[in-house]
Amino acid sequence: MTMDATRYEDGSISYPGHPRGPGGSNPAETIDLSEYTAEVVTWTTSTATPPGVREPNHLAIVEFDVDGESVRAIGQLTTGDVETGDEVQPVHVDELREPGAGIREPESQDWDGYRFEPV
């Protein structure tokens, strides 16, 4: 599995990708962010989580540097032992939440994704 960001014709990059870039240009290529490290911009811990989401749930906004372009993402952390400015890497996990919890049919969703782990 990849953590795909999109580079647009004007050179801008977004995660997740969209049909049009921030300046209205077309997608040109995808970039796998799981091959990069990022810096923690800010983080928090949620203790009141939705059904099936681990408690406490450590979350961060991280910033990747991809060829001089800043790309931000939000996601779960593997630990609450982080500080702003720490370097993290995306790690794939099979279940970001428990598929049987909540109202969605488990087969209707992909439950895997990425968490950020300190380097």
Side-chain angles (χ1 to χ4, degrees):
M1 175 168 187
T2 57
M3 186 179 177
D4 288 340
T6 301
R7 184 187 316 264
Y8 301 92
E9 292 171 341
D10 65 2
S12 62
I13 303 171
S14 72
Y15 175 80
H18 301 282
R20 292 273 185 250
S25 63
N26 291 317
E29 68 175 317
T30 58
I31 298 164
D32 183 3
L33 293 178
S34 69
E35 298 175 359
Y36 293 82
T37 59
E39 182 178 308
V40 174
V41 175
T42 189
W43 63 275
T44 190
T45 297
S46 172
T47 56
T49 61
V53 175
R54 67 187 179 161
E55 187 180 328
N57 190 25
H58 310 291
L59 304 164
I61 295 174
V62 302
E63 186 171 60
F64 294 89
D65 180 340
V66 180
D67 304 328
E69 285 289 317
S70 171
V71 183
R72 288 190 174 188
I74 186 170
Q76 295 179 351
L77 291 159
T78 59
T79 178
D81 188 22
V82 296
E83 297 294 333
T84 298
D86 284 355
E87 188 177 5
V88 293
Q89 64 186 5
V91 292
H92 185 263
V93 294
D94 290 332
E95 291 183 354
L96 291 173
R97 64 186 301 168
E98 199 279 304
I103 61 172
R104 294 182 176 169
E105 289 294 325
E107 296 77 26
S108 73
Q109 302 292 310
D110 290 328
W111 301 99
D112 65 329
Y114 285 88
R115 286 188 177 129
F116 300 110
E117 179 176 71
V119 173

